[in-house]
Amino acid sequence: MSVLTPTRRALAEEQSQVNALERESHRLRWNKILCGIALGICFWFSVPYQFPFVQELDPKLAAAAESQAYAGSISRQISMPILLCIGLYMLWRLPRRGDFRGRLMALALMYVGWAALSISWSTDPSITGKRLIVFAIDAFLAFVIARTLSMMEMELLGFCATAGVALIALYVETVKLAELAPFDPNYRFMGVTTANYMAMSLVVCVFCALTLLEHRRRWAVWLIPSTILALTLLVLTRSRVSTIIVIVMLAIMLNKIARDFFSPHVRAMVVFGVLAVVVPATIYFVGRSGSNAARLAFMMGRSDTENTSNLSNRAPLWSELMESVERNPWLGVGYDAFWTPARVESISADQGWTVPHAHNTYLDQALSLGIFGAALYAAMVWSAVVMAWRRYRVDKSADSLFAAVLLTWLALEGLAESVPLDPYLPTLLAYACIAKMCMTETSEAVAVENSEPASELKPRRFAAAHSRQLLLHGRGR
């Protein structure tokens, strides 16, 4: 009895600790799930998605609708404060991770500070003040996501949100509007937003799905079909910049997956099989199309070949906007104060198509914050890209690769589209990766070990099992 009683007491204590940890882990898991669902819903309403999205052909009317959607949308005005509250709740209730320090953090703080100071020289302090409030909420959310969620949780949030938007858009195109026409050269998959923004969402969906496949191989039964569907819809958007970036990044990610999943002999057979299909298909296609093959591939079936030489009308737009940069080269006109409703309508009328932004993030930054602000932004983004690839070279993990490809996409996409810090979830995840790069390399792993109760369950269960063995041994005696 003197042997059994302490053993049973130890077993009861261990079991009590295991039960407490399991309850805490369960509570934490559901807290994160509910916060993720709330974020996804609020991000949907903070971006002017339309159900269904119908593209206005008149540039003046389209520009007016675009300005109204961003400036006066009731759903946006309601969802942004709710997003702020969700961020505060996550920072209060969820375990915090990461140790922030370094040059990249200094660059990020300098950029945010310069944007905040721009209200003092803004040509329209009212609109700059309103948009700085949104900017501050977005920056805070990027920090909160990096601070409270692991990389895998970010990937899961990104996949669920972007896949949900894709499915809604597919329903709109096939059922609501019945306009899905994949073989029509003038058709572009949109559904709930413009084709280029839909393409950006699908890009992030592909990146998240492939990274999750590395973490949870048993999810392959639905991750692989989801990836194939997202790639198909991406091609149907006929967004060339996004597609080219995905092809390059996809090759890197698939190469890592092949190394992790298959032996060298299997990889060699796969490469041989792909070449056996791709090479004859390429020869056949080039033989039939001749010199037009490269042009057709680049145009992705689009018939607006007259716009190819001027980068789909971007070159004339950039030329006009550079004149505005020259008027305020160093300070700009204040954060996001350039794209007033009146200026959107005026430039759209001059260009003959809807122009809600510069279609170049770096040029948009120069318009708003001057050359110095644009240089700070570029230094922040590209420094994060370099840091992400350096970290991937060190540990070769799926999470490090995800951060590297997402940041590379953000930096390159900014050359042809405007992807500023905004409540648009795909790009906000990329900015959250910049916040992750502001952490020391070991802080994320240490935070996971120290902050999440689930990580302690296995040792506790082992201790409980050991106590049970002692108890059985005592009974045997």
Side-chain angles (χ1 to χ4, degrees):
M1 291 295 294
S2 60
V3 176
L4 293 179
T5 300
T7 305
R8 285 174 176 168
R9 188 181 300 116
L11 176 61
E13 290 175 358
E14 293 288 352
Q15 188 62 46
S16 176
Q17 291 177 0
V18 169
N19 292 339
L21 287 169
E22 286 179 337
R23 286 194 299 270
E24 178 64 18
S25 179
H26 182 75
R27 183 197 63 79
L28 180 60
R29 185 182 302 111
W30 274 104
N31 242 344
K32 290 186 176 182
I33 291 173
L34 293 176
C35 286
I37 293 173
L39 284 174
I41 293 173
C42 289
F43 278 125
W44 169 272
F45 287 105
S46 65
V47 176
Y49 288 120
Q50 299 178 31
F51 187 83
F53 176 79
V54 179
Q55 194 165 23
E56 180 63 58
L57 298 179
D58 186 339
K60 186 175 181 179
L61 294 177
E66 185 86 15
S67 298
Q68 181 64 27
Y70 276 96
S73 171
I74 297 298
S75 65
R76 185 181 177 90
Q77 294 175 3
I78 295 174
S79 60
M80 291 307 298
I82 296 176
L83 280 170
L84 175 61
C85 293
I86 295 172
L88 290 171
Y89 177 81
M90 292 174 66
L91 208 57
W92 173 48
R93 297 298 295 173
L94 300 183
R96 301 177 190 178
R97 64 184 71 238
D99 182 15
F100 288 87
R101 65 165 69 109
R103 297 177 183 176
L104 181 58
M105 187 186 69
L107 275 175
L109 291 176
M110 287 174 63
Y111 169 70
V112 172
W114 184 258
L117 285 174
S118 68
I119 194 172
S120 62
W121 63 76
S122 172
T123 57
D124 192 339
S126 174
I127 194 170
T128 296
K130 293 176 183 177
R131 293 178 177 176
L132 274 176
I133 292 174
V134 176
F135 172 79
I137 294 174
D138 294 331
F140 175 69
L141 285 173
F143 166 78
V144 168
I145 289 173
R147 183 77 165 172
T148 60
L149 300 183
S150 66
M151 288 298 296
M152 181 181 172
E153 290 164 345
M154 286 173 53
E155 294 148 12
L156 191 58
L157 171 63
F159 174 77
C160 291
T162 54
V165 170
L167 291 176
I168 294 172
L170 185 61
Y171 167 79
V172 169
E173 291 288 290
T174 56
V175 179
K176 192 79 173 177
L177 297 177
E179 291 183 352
L180 187 67
F183 301 107
D184 183 354
N186 296 314
Y187 171 78
R188 301 187 69 184
F189 178 75
M190 292 181 285
V192 294
T193 186
T194 62
N196 289 337
Y197 272 86
M198 180 56 65
M200 286 191 276
S201 182
L202 291 166
V203 166
V204 175
C205 183
V206 170
F207 290 163
C208 291
L210 289 178
T211 310
L212 287 172
L213 186 61
E214 286 264 353
H215 286 292
R216 297 289 187 270
R217 298 187 182 186
R218 62 180 182 274
W219 293 355
V221 66
W222 52 274
L223 282 176
I224 292 176
S226 299
T227 304
I228 294 173
L229 176 61
L231 287 171
T232 303
L233 295 178
L234 174 61
V235 172
L236 292 181
T237 64
R238 293 183 166 87
S239 178
R240 288 167 290 191
V241 174
S242 294
T243 304
I244 292 172
I245 294 173
V246 162
I247 290 173
V248 176
M249 296 297 104
L250 202 61
I252 298 173
M253 297 185 79
L254 290 178
N255 179 57
K256 174 172 173 45
I257 291 174
R259 289 202 316 268
D260 294 343
F261 277 54
F262 307 116
S263 65
H265 298 292
V266 174
R267 295 203 301 270
M269 291 178 62
V270 170
V271 170
F272 178 78
V274 169
L275 291 177
V277 174
V278 172
V279 173
T282 303
I283 294 173
Y284 174 77
F285 181 71
V286 172
R288 291 195 60 182
S289 303
S291 60
N292 293 327
R295 180 180 62 81
L296 289 173
F298 177 75
M299 291 302 297
M300 298 182 65
R302 291 166 61 174
S303 58
D304 55 341
T305 54
E306 67 276 4
N307 295 329
T308 304
S309 59
N310 60 15
L311 302 175
S312 296
N313 291 323
R314 286 174 172 81
L317 170 64
W318 294 340
S319 178
E320 180 179 348
L321 294 178
M322 283 303 298
E323 297 176 3
S324 299
V325 173
E326 291 171 0
R327 297 190 192 103
N328 300 280
W330 298 109
L331 298 179
V333 297
Y335 181 78
D336 219 7
F338 182 82
W339 294 104
T340 61
R343 193 170 275 130
V344 168
E345 292 185 24
S346 173
I347 295 177
S348 298
D350 291 343
Q351 296 294 320
W353 55 291
T354 308
V355 185
H357 46 71
H359 283 272
N360 183 299
T361 307
Y362 307 99
L363 181 53
D364 259 332
Q365 296 296 318
L367 288 167
S368 295
L369 303 175
I371 295 174
F372 183 71
L376 280 176
Y377 174 83
M380 176 185 70
V381 172
W382 284 100
S383 296
V385 172
V386 172
M387 189 175 295
W389 282 109
R390 283 180 176 173
R391 291 190 180 184
Y392 173 65
R393 288 182 61 188
V394 172
D395 64 9
K396 299 293 184 182
S397 68
D399 290 337
S400 295
L401 181 58
F402 174 76
V405 298
L406 196 60
L407 287 170
T408 304
W409 164 76
L410 178 73
L412 295 177
E413 188 78 33
L415 297 172
E417 288 294 335
S418 288
V419 285
L421 186 56
D422 195 71
Y424 185 58
L425 182 60
T427 55
L428 189 64
L429 286 176
Y431 287 102
C433 286
I434 293 180
K436 288 284 190 184
M437 293 303 107
C438 292
M439 298 179 185
T440 57
E441 290 189 51
T442 59
S443 63
E444 174 72 10
V446 171
V448 171
E449 291 177 3
N450 293 341
S451 66
E452 295 199 13
S455 64
E456 301 177 10
L457 288 178
K458 288 185 179 179
R460 295 294 186 183
R461 284 174 180 158
F462 174 79
H466 182 63
S467 299
R468 291 189 188 96
Q469 288 179 355
L470 288 175
L471 178 62
L472 292 174
H473 181 67
R475 285 176 178 172
R477 292 177 60 184

